[in-house]
Amino acid sequence: MKQDTSPKRWRMTRRGFLIGMGLAGGGLALGAIFGLPAARLALADMFADVINIPSNMPREPQLWFTIQPDGRVTMTMPKVEMGQGVHTALAQIAAEELGVSWEQMQVVQSSSLGPVADGAGTSASYSVISLFPLLREMAATLREMLRTAGADQLGIAPAQTRIEQGFVVDADQPARRISFAELVAQPRNWETPTEAAPLTPPERWQIIGQPVPRLDLPAKIRGEAVYGYDARIEGMLYGAVARPPRLGAKLRRAAAGTARNRPGVVEVVIRDGFAGVVAESRLTAYAALNDLELDWELPPPFNLAELQARLAAQAGSGTVIQRQGDAAAALRGAGVIEATYQTPLAAHANLEPQAALVDVQPDRVRAWVSTQSPVQVARTIAEVIGRKPETVEVTPTYLGGGFGRKVTTTVATEAALLSAAVGRPVHVGWTRTEEFRYGYLRPPTYATFRATLTDDGRIAALVQHHVSGNVLFDLFPPPLRWLFGSDFGGWRGARLIYDIPNLEVKAQTVDLPVPTGPWRGLGLLANVFAVESFIDELAVAAGSDPLDFRLRHLPDTATGNRFRAALEAVAAMAGWYDQPPPGRARGIACSIDAGTIAAHVAEVGLVEGRLRVYRVWAAVDPGVAINPDGLAAQTEGGIMMGLSAALFEQITIADGRIEAGNFDRYPLLTIADAPEVFVQILRSGDQPFGGGEPPMGPIAAAVANALARLTGERRRQWPLV
Amino acid sequence: MELTINGQRYTVADEPARPLLYVLRDELGLTGTKFGCGAGICGACTVHVNGQATRSCQTMIATLAGAQITTIEGLADGERLHPVQQAFLELQVPQCGWCMSGQMMTAAALLAANPTPTHEEMIAAMRYNYCRCGTYARIGRAVMRAAELMKERAG
């Protein structure tokens, strides 16, 4: 399936790049060795709220591009495509610097073994941010090498050439030109540039910034795109795994019972803490689970109210994550405004449940998995079935939604255990019930606020006590947990952006008996809901217009100015100072995440007493958008998902068990409740910031603020409907 | 028993208590039709049975003798996309794409029965198909655009 792209020979260049020649088919390839690019360190300082920038690209040659003799440029993707359009955006960056036409670009997905294996996985809106500097530099280097070769062929100096759509062109006589394809088809001693290749200046960008169509959509439109649930190979079987009756239950003893007698059952696999069935069909495998004899050790039951009480009890403890002046002293006395906001447990509800196909053979293991973390999955499989990591190859498929739920994919380990037992490929695809009950959830949050205002209506002091369940802590070893004190995934979005002379934000992380983890944006949506709702309450208390109140409190910094531009843009789009239609009200909110600023206005009304969101306006400043239509799509989608979460969703627990077993108990937003969405993309620089999560940040707060304006009654808990 | 899918005849094991979805995906390799909930709620598995949008996860194959079944793989006319597919591509509707076969099959059935739906009629037809990526604004526009394309093609 995968073409042979391993170069016959690698040569180290002065700048840490590797050049490969003599490719199958006679192409030229460029790769790089890199550990932690300096660019990432610089970027880390730019995002106080995002300090987890894992980078564990292996120190092996990484093959990024091959130029084929027919002129096509194949780019290998380290990041997975889960609908965020990342393959297209990364290819745009590369095409721009290579100087080829967009039509020449094609992409293939890297596996966990390379050629561009990325241990960091695809998450946290970091793909474009982190790869932008590296990709540009590598593509520009390859372009300059081609330029030198082309100039040589044309008998002119490199300075007399220009690069045009995959050709080296004689600037004086444009008819004299030679294509990249011709250059790489000839044997040549490739020279590496002695100086850093110049990057194309932003004012000359022709592909970056264009709304080019997504590369993955033609296959998706025809139903031909292959996702983890669709992975099929010859001779495969289907697996199913026994699930505990209560959260935290351990399998004490298991026996095959009558399962082996059921026609179509191939094997019953029982290991420490694990019982599963392999069968000729998925339906048979699941049916046979009922034939097993299972003895579970049950932990004490608990219910949702107990979890929420645990959070509330921790308010005020934890680590300080933001401090200015002396907020505690300033809050002694009268006139303190207080409020508490809560968000519930929630599911990712990715429409493609967890799925993996794994083929364990004596000499090697191959897996096709719907995962955001192929390298981690490969390591885990190797560990669980006792193989060397370099013999396990995980190829990520398209993902039918990720949203953080496919950062950890135990389904691949389950399929590996089953496949190892039968020596044949086994596919495991979870049911919707398994997806709801046996994965992990977005943790609940509990945030209390206290503030005072000055006589002229400014915020004098503000304290926030933030509590959340784990988001990233479960992925951390204990020393790191101690070092960080609280889970920065949980408090993502909880720091205030406003200029407040006395400010303190404390964050606490609480272990809960329910597995919780990353959900799109981590804490962003819930925390911005709390912060920006409270800011709105203060605006009301100060007798100010909520937009004016925000503008007045923005710091006089570059970031403050970006916020001002976004707020003013969204206000202009929505006609903020005009009367909304009768029976409706508007609310505003803003946020920053992964460097990207978003400002939303939501217009709401009540239909037979039920909240209805009619229109949403969004101004988004991602620095610069690689693909504006792609970013608009992420904004529209993030708004819908955020609305769904805030309006309708919550996971409830009774008797130690998640109650929702399907969408009948966990309905999502539908097209009937979807608002009209208007998006404007702003530009504030030449470095792209995050796109997958940040644009959803303000939506829940904007809606809650609109609702409070409409009814005069403040809602501080989801679901809002 | 025999099933007629996208104009082709398939012989499948005569175990009638199997939902069509599993037969399509796991036996016949037609994985364009997606599993989402297995309970007829999310719409990801929508196919056409005699032209009607139908949840294949809730349809036992025993009920399908002699029926004309169409899946996403059979929606286009060879290389030529169905107007619904063309509109979904033109407006860059899909994100992850998992729900899209079901969305497009629902839309195509709507437009076959009602080539000029009003906005309300479009919503009424599309409201039982979930999209977790939240592409609803574009889905709505694309279905209306597909109606235009159908008219253009007919004219």
Side-chain angles (χ1 to χ4, degrees), chain A residues 571-585:
Chain A
M573 287 167 77
W576 175 257
Y577 294 107
D578 303 337
Q579 275 300 323
R584 300 187 191 182

Side-chain angles (χ1 to χ4, degrees), chain B residues 59-83:
Chain B
T59 308
M60 297 300 152
I61 56 170
T63 66
L64 295 172
Q68 293 291 328
I69 300 161
T70 307
T71 69
I72 187 68
E73 289 92 344
L75 191 60
D77 180 10
E79 284 304 297
R80 193 178 192 220
L81 292 178
H82 186 278

Side-chain angles (χ1 to χ4, degrees), chain A residues 616-691:
Chain A
V616 175
W617 295 267
V620 180
D621 168 9
V624 58
I626 302 299
N627 187 323
D629 188 56
L631 186 68
Q634 286 304 292
T635 305
E636 294 160 13
I639 284 169
M640 298 296 180
M641 187 172 177
L643 276 178
S644 187
L647 265 52
F648 304 116
E649 297 175 25
Q650 76 176 320
I651 285 286
T652 57
I653 293 175
D655 194 30
R657 182 188 170 95
I658 291 165
E659 291 190 289
N662 213 317
F663 291 119
D664 54 340
R665 291 293 301 270
Y666 195 93
L668 306 181
L669 181 92
T670 72
I671 196 171
D673 284 309
E676 281 188 276
V677 179
F678 307 92
V679 181
Q680 187 180 344
I681 311 272
L682 307 176
R683 178 164 181 179
S684 63
D686 299 331
Q687 159 72 42
F689 297 115

Side-chain angles (χ1 to χ4, degrees), chain A residues 82-84 212-214 216-218 220-223 225 227 229-230 232 238 282-283 347-353 399-401 403 430-432 519-520 629 632-634 636-638 640-641 644-645 649 662-664 666-672 674-675 677, chain B residues 17-19 22 25-27 29 31-39 41-42 44 72-73 76 78-81 84-86 88-89 91-101 104 122-123 126-141:
Chain A
M82 46 189 165
Q84 80 282 40
V212 302
R214 287 251 307 274
D216 52 325
L217 295 201
K220 288 179 176 178
I221 288 288
R222 287 179 174 272
Y227 301 72
Y229 225 111
D230 304 332
R232 300 286 183 272
Y238 295 89
R282 201 184 301 281
L283 292 171
H348 302 75
N350 36 274
L351 283 191
E352 181 205 21
L399 274 62
F403 313 121
W430 284 17
T431 64
R432 181 54 53 186
W519 190 96
R520 190 179 192 173
D629 188 56
Q634 286 304 292
E636 294 160 13
M640 298 296 180
M641 187 172 177
S644 187
E649 297 175 25
N662 213 317
F663 291 119
D664 54 340
Y666 195 93
L668 306 181
L669 181 92
T670 72
I671 196 171
V677 179
Chain B
R18 284 176 303 163
Y22 293 84
R25 290 180 50 83
D26 295 344
E27 282 181 45
T31 55
T33 305
K34 304 304 188 191
F35 170 86
C37 69
I41 304 170
C42 76
I72 187 68
E73 289 92 344
E79 284 304 297
R80 193 178 192 220
L81 292 178
V84 168
Q85 291 171 303
Q86 193 184 331
F88 272 58
L89 193 58
L91 275 75
Q92 295 280 293
V93 176
Q95 289 186 22
C96 88
W98 188 253
C99 72
M100 284 295 153
S101 300
M104 291 186 288
M122 180 276 290
I123 296 285
M126 300 303 297
R127 67 178 300 171
Y128 302 104
N129 285 71
Y130 280 161
C131 173
R132 186 50 156 173
C133 298
T135 67
Y136 294 127
R138 293 187 188 212
I139 290 172
R141 287 202 298 276

